[in-house]
Amino acid sequence: MEISILIVLCLVAFLAGFIDAIVGGGGLIQTPMGLILLPNLPVATIIGTLKIPSFSGTFFAAIQYMKKIQMNWKLLLIMMSLAIPSAFLGSTLLTYVSNDFMKPLLLVVLSLLVFYTYTKKNFGQHANKVHSDFQQIIYAILISFFIGFYDGFIGPGTGSFLVLAFITLLGYDFLQASANAKMVNLATNFGSICLFVYKGKIIWIIAIPMAICNAIGGFIGAKLAISKGNKFIRIFFLIVVIGTLIRFAYDVFMNK
């Protein structure tokens, strides 16, 4: 592989890590660029390889959040333990069937999400935990299973969906949601990596330098999110979700 291609991939990984650390959605940049720059590799190999930098960036972002933001470890341990097998199951299914049939549905969901977040100015600005502990555990189980499976099966926008779930279902504000979502996203990435390592789909000579760059981006992005707070994260959230919406719209209407 040409060194110039690897350099571009590393720059993309840095940007993806930066965006992902703030509000998720780094795969929206990293995955398409990987598919464009590595056209001769099987899709499963590219996706598997890119899971390594995704994991590293999320890991270093999570460390920064853990230093500053209080985590609900009881809930997170439940969610992470369920997210790993859910993502593994989603990635396993991906090796057998296409995920294209899901994209029109996601297009509708994302359109509604953008409209709601934009019009509801106080969305995610303050914590609003109104559920009992039992209700929170039920919601946590559902979030872990469905979004974990989604990450393994489809991928782009997982971090953003986790942030949304933490805000709407568990009552977190944007900063708390971003912090806690990183831990669950770490688990979903790990679940997928287990499958791709088992299948021998990871090219380590590409994955490792990209992982270093993604980690640097994640470190910087998390620090910026912590310092800027909820309003900044809300704006970033809207930008990333709109970008995800455009990506799926292209896949549905143009890339046939």
Side-chain angles (χ1 to χ4, degrees):
M1 184 183 67
E2 295 180 11
I3 189 67
S4 59
I5 293 177
L6 184 58
I7 291 172
V8 174
L9 285 171
C10 287
L11 291 173
V12 169
F14 171 83
L15 182 60
F18 177 82
I19 293 172
D20 205 62
I22 297 173
V23 76
L28 180 67
I29 299 171
Q30 191 165 255
T31 302
M33 287 303 295
L35 293 170
I36 291 169
L37 294 172
L38 303 170
N40 297 322
L41 294 178
V43 173
T45 299
I46 295 172
I47 300 299
T49 300
L50 295 181
K51 282 294 180 182
I52 301 298
S54 295
F55 180 87
S56 69
T58 303
F59 177 78
F60 281 94
I63 290 175
Q64 296 307 306
Y65 280 117
M66 282 191 290
K67 293 177 181 178
K68 300 291 184 179
I69 308 299
Q70 184 176 2
M71 302 285 195
N72 187 341
W73 286 108
K74 178 182 176 181
L75 207 63
L76 283 175
L77 289 173
I78 294 172
M79 297 180 76
M80 293 171 72
S81 64
L82 291 172
I84 292 173
S86 297
F88 185 93
L89 180 62
S91 292
T92 301
L93 184 61
L94 179 60
T95 62
Y96 294 103
V97 300
S98 170
N99 59 26
D100 288 342
F101 70 94
M102 285 289 293
K103 292 174 181 177
L105 174 61
L106 291 169
L107 193 61
V108 174
V109 172
L110 288 168
S111 299
L112 294 173
L113 173 58
V114 169
F115 177 78
Y116 182 80
T117 305
Y118 180 76
T119 56
K120 193 173 177 61
K121 302 299 183 183
N122 64 342
F123 177 67
Q125 297 303 302
H126 306 284
N128 184 30
K129 298 179 182 179
V130 296
H131 305 306
S132 66
D133 289 344
F134 177 75
Q135 287 174 316
Q136 279 202 323
I137 290 173
I138 296 299
Y139 281 130
I141 291 171
L142 294 173
I143 292 167
S144 304
F145 177 78
F146 286 106
I147 299 184
F149 182 86
Y150 171 87
D151 192 27
F153 187 51
I154 298 175
T158 297
S160 300
F161 281 124
L162 281 169
V163 169
L164 175 68
F166 270 101
I167 293 172
T168 56
L169 297 179
L170 298 178
Y172 289 44
D173 63 31
F174 265 114
L175 184 57
Q176 293 172 332
S178 293
N180 285 269
K182 286 290 159 289
M183 302 305 299
V184 182
N185 204 2
L186 202 61
T188 63
N189 281 330
F190 181 75
S192 291
I193 287 170
C194 289
L195 184 280
F196 288 119
V197 168
Y198 174 72
K199 295 284 188 179
K201 298 295 185 181
I202 297 175
I203 301 176
W204 294 100
I205 197 172
I206 298 174
I208 291 175
M210 286 187 70
I212 294 170
C213 294
N214 198 295
I216 296 171
F219 176 86
I220 296 172
K223 279 191 167 295
L224 185 63
I226 292 167
S227 66
K228 295 294 185 180
N230 287 317
K231 289 185 178 179
F232 170 77
I233 299 174
R234 177 182 178 272
I235 294 171
F236 227 90
F237 180 80
L238 273 170
I239 293 170
V240 170
V241 172
I242 290 171
T244 308
L245 178 63
I246 294 170
R247 160 76 188 282
F248 282 128
Y250 175 81
D251 286 347
V252 171
F253 298 113
M254 303 296 293
N255 192 25
K256 294 184 179 179

